[in-house]
Amino acid sequence: MTDQLYQDRIVALAKAKTGAGKLATPTKSARRDNPLCGDRVVVDVKLDEGGKIAEIAHQVRGCLLCQASASALASVAVGRDAAGIEKVRLDAERAIGREEGEAGEPFAAFAPVKAHKSRHECVLLPFEALKEALS
Amino acid sequence: MAGAEQSMSFDVAAVRRQFPILSQIIDGQPVHYLDNGASAQTPDAVLDAVRTYETTSRANVLRGVHRLAERATEAYENARIEVANFLSVDPMEVVFTGGCTAAINLVAYSYGSLLKPGDRIILSELEHHSNIVPWQLLRQRSGIEIDVVPVTVNGRIDLNALPRLLTSRTKLISLAHVSNVTGTLVDVHAVVTLAKTVGAKVMLDGAQRVPHGPVDLSAMGIDFYAFAGHKAYGPNGIGVLWAKAEHLEAMPPFHGGGSMIGRVTFTETTWAPPPRRFEAGTPPIGPAIGLGAACRWMRTLDWKEAHAHEMALVERLMDGLQKIDGATLFGPGSTQNRYPVVSFLLEGVHPHDVAQTLDSFGVAVRAGHHCCQPLMDRFDLDGTTRVSIAPYNDNTDIDALLTGVQHAARTLR
Ligand SMILES: Cc1ncc(COP(=O)(O)O)c(C=O)c1O
């Protein structure tokens, strides 16, 4: 084997399945597809009066990277509004080398994806779905 | 029946030596190239032919009187003859196109323009998007209807379902000769026999069949055939449409431009006869010459041996997958009436993660929907991992793949 894309931390995030599933009464919901690979993410959110995320759930039909990203995102999303989620996205983009700077946790775990450009969208797809749900 | 051993009389090492890319070491690993269904590799014979053209005969075709133009034209037309020999047809029925997709679009546009609203064409559920979308565009343009033959659980076109789709309005049946997902071979004789009962034409998408040896189109009784050069050991940017002369004769041009005309005035333009009518503008000359060389190269192989070798690798692959917990085949479990394209699933691991893991073992495969979303939808799949084999593959390729799949099964779930 030549490289270690699927390091334990990424696999663990995917297996944790934080937030996997549906919300019974979501405030908003959005679905995003990646037409290239067919990955699909549905995100449900329940918002409080201030527009902050009170509950989040996601259904991922996609690869391990997409599952891990959705799981990581769900683990830090509660209490954030759209601007707060953009900060998390910056971490994800830093981890995969799209932005300068050091990525914060838990997205620092995605650093091995940096070298695999064709997989960057897998990490970002849950963010795209959540952004739409919050818009 | 072929055993899981490599054929003794097929010298795979001798074939491999003709493909420079296969002797590469990348990150300390050999190249285990099992993505031939997407694009095959190219042998010295093709590289040399293209280089010879570019360094001794490069010029435009059909337009010059100078010696280089004469040489270029001759090499281009010889390539057409090579392709025609490979398909057992008349060279004047061979149209060079930009690819397989371009060839199918040519038929859908040009032959399609002869169809009337309410006319019907039949496709199957396992078609590549390139044999679906051009017909949907035709449907939008001219109000034809599309009927779809279902696929059996083994990934074969269900020809038992074909008779009830046939009507007096059915004009064309267009099917994959060999599936790019399951490797299954369609029963051409049965399709042609059924088509004849209503006078429908038959088109085959030969993209996945041509890389496995000469095709005798003259014996098949079909009307149109399309394939791509890059999947058949030739260059990119070239493909072929073969059609019966009478159809080409009746078809209006697809693209307009130079070389495809008889006489141009602003009031009226007449068309050149086929095949030039369908080759507007400067064609991809070098790629066509390369494809001619690829067809000639393929004819140097003993395909009985080569096919037995390929199918022995399929058996080795299927046997190995069977021993991996959670691995299942998608498609037929046998080597009968099929070509060496094998899709599989690994329970609990997404196909992209299987393919990515295999890459780290130096093994190239394709994962995803393979441009066959309707087929994936029918079986409710996110995608498959696809192994596609060429004559230069050997046991080490299959064994490296199996090691990688085992690793994915152990670590990713
Ligand atoms: C069965 C089949 N048809 C058509 C095509 C399209 O070939 P191209 O993209 O080279 O035009 C492919 C290639 O993926 C294929 O496998």
Side-chain angles (χ1 to χ4, degrees), chain B residues 278-350:
Chain B
F278 304 101
E279 295 179 357
T282 301
I285 305 165
I289 290 165
L291 178 55
C295 286
R296 188 167 57 232
W297 177 80
M298 282 192 278
R299 295 208 300 143
T300 65
L301 293 188
D302 176 342
W303 279 97
K304 206 162 157 270
E305 291 295 333
H307 186 69
H309 166 73
E310 290 177 331
M311 298 319 285
L313 294 177
V314 167
E315 285 203 17
R316 189 179 185 91
L317 170 66
M318 293 197 303
D319 288 349
L321 287 174
Q322 236 158 38
K323 294 184 192 121
I324 298 174
D325 186 33
T328 50
L329 294 173
F330 174 67
S334 87
T335 54
Q336 300 304 303
N337 296 324
R338 64 139 359 136
Y339 280 81
V341 178
V342 180
S343 270
F344 69 92
L345 305 168
L346 186 59
E347 197 190 342
V349 185
H350 193 277

Side-chain angles (χ1 to χ4, degrees), chain B residues 77-133:
Chain B
E77 292 305 326
N78 280 343
R80 198 189 304 280
I81 293 169
E82 292 289 356
V83 172
N85 289 343
F86 182 86
L87 300 174
S88 296
V89 297
D90 182 337
M92 290 301 102
E93 298 176 328
V94 171
V95 179
F96 283 123
T97 66
C100 185
T101 302
I104 298 171
N105 274 277
L106 196 171
V107 178
Y109 186 91
S110 180
Y111 174 75
S113 73
L114 305 173
L115 301 183
K116 309 241 160 19
D119 280 349
R120 310 185 79 87
I121 65 156
I122 295 178
L123 309 174
S124 89
E125 220 167 30
L126 60 65
E127 297 311 312
H128 190 278
H129 294 165
S130 65
N131 193 27
I132 299 175
V133 184

Side-chain angles (χ1 to χ4, degrees), chain A residues 16-38:
Chain A
K17 293 192 191 295
T18 310
K22 291 183 191 181
L23 295 184
T25 53
T27 320
K28 284 184 166 171
S29 184
R31 166 180 156 173
R32 271 303 179 106
D33 288 68
N34 180 343
L36 286 180
C37 64

Side-chain angles (χ1 to χ4, degrees), chain B residues 261-271:
Chain B
I261 45 88
R263 172 95 189 113
V264 177
T265 67
F266 276 102
T267 46
E268 194 187 26
T269 293
T270 58
W271 318 132

